[in-house]
Amino acid sequence: LYSLEMVDESHAQLHQHYTNEALSGKKVIGLYFSADWCGPCRQFTPDLVNFYNKMNSRKGKEGDFQIVWVSRCRDIDSWGQYFTHMNWLAMAPEEAMGERGSKLSERYKVKGIPSLVLLDEVGAVITTDARNKIPADKAGIGFPWRNPIAQAYITLVPKSLRLMVKSQIGDVKFKLMSKLKSLLPF
């Protein structure tokens, strides 16, 4: 992952980070799918910057929220220009604009941009509709907009147990899909 540090008004320096280290301790991780050529993205990004800053400056919640930009820009120069408008992390442009970015879009059912997907600390989806929730809740009162049952689960079940459950569900899903594939003729 990359972060961008503005050296002065016209020069910036990229810093590279290991994903695990950069996201360690974050309670909410946003995957922001957007591009420089997209008018709605250019309109939403400043609002998202303000929201991000507001959520990360709340007392007792400082730094709990991190966004990773998954660029849909068409070239590296555009990626660099557009990244100067953001104060969060970004996937490497060749990954974001390549197969990894496409797979993330597919996994989180991104239909159009801008799109903001929120994940919890173990990678479970909180919402795939954060892009529409921010304008409706600019103060972030309901952030990160978990449903009440999920909130109770997060509160009552320790992180280690949630990770174990997530792993077990993944194994069961894999076995079930394998069995179904073996039964279906195609």
Side-chain angles (χ1 to χ4, degrees):
L1 297 177
Y2 289 106
S3 62
L4 192 69
E5 177 187 5
M6 295 303 292
V7 178
D8 58 40
E9 287 188 23
S10 59
H11 297 88
Q13 185 173 1
L14 274 179
H15 298 283
Q16 194 168 6
H17 307 272
Y18 291 109
T19 304
N20 288 347
E21 290 175 12
L23 301 180
S24 177
K26 302 300 178 189
K27 302 284 186 221
V28 179
I29 298 155
L31 297 178
Y32 181 44
F33 298 84
S34 71
D36 66 305
W37 51 263
C38 164
C41 297
R42 287 194 315 273
Q43 188 176 1
F44 179 66
T45 297
D47 294 340
L48 183 55
V49 168
N50 290 334
F51 186 82
Y52 174 78
N53 292 339
K54 187 182 298 179
M55 293 303 98
N56 276 323
S57 64
R58 294 185 303 175
K59 190 173 182 171
K61 307 242 183 222
E62 296 90 349
D64 280 358
F65 180 33
Q66 182 58 268
I67 294 176
V68 176
W69 177 41
V70 183
S71 170
R72 308 318 289 152
C73 293
R74 295 184 174 130
D75 58 66
I76 292 182
D77 288 339
S78 302
W79 178 90
Q81 273 300 109
Y82 194 39
F83 193 27
T84 63
H85 299 276
M86 303 171 198
N87 59 340
W88 46 73
L89 301 172
M91 281 181 69
E94 60 278 359
E95 290 184 12
M97 294 182 265
E99 187 178 345
R100 183 167 288 169
S102 295
K103 286 188 179 205
L104 284 169
S105 290
E106 195 176 300
R107 179 176 186 167
Y108 297 111
K109 297 172 180 54
V110 174
K111 302 283 188 250
I113 56 175
S115 181
L116 180 63
V117 175
L118 298 183
L119 308 173
D120 69 13
E121 59 206 348
V122 298
V125 175
I126 296 171
T127 183
T128 57
D129 193 33
R131 185 267 180 267
N132 292 318
K133 293 190 182 293
I134 289 171
D137 182 16
K138 288 184 181 185
I141 293 168
F143 179 80
W145 309 291
R146 284 187 176 95
N147 84 33
I149 294 169
Q151 185 61 48
Y153 174 71
I154 301 283
T155 305
L156 298 173
V157 179
K159 181 180 176 182
S160 57
L161 187 56
R162 285 186 280 133
L163 281 168
M164 190 174 73
V165 168
K166 183 178 180 189
S167 169
Q168 294 297 317
I169 289 172
D171 289 346
V172 169
K173 183 178 175 184
F174 176 77
K175 289 175 185 172
L176 181 62
M177 292 305 287
S178 296
K179 186 70 172 171
L180 285 174
K181 284 180 184 177
S182 71
L183 295 174
L184 297 173
F186 52 88

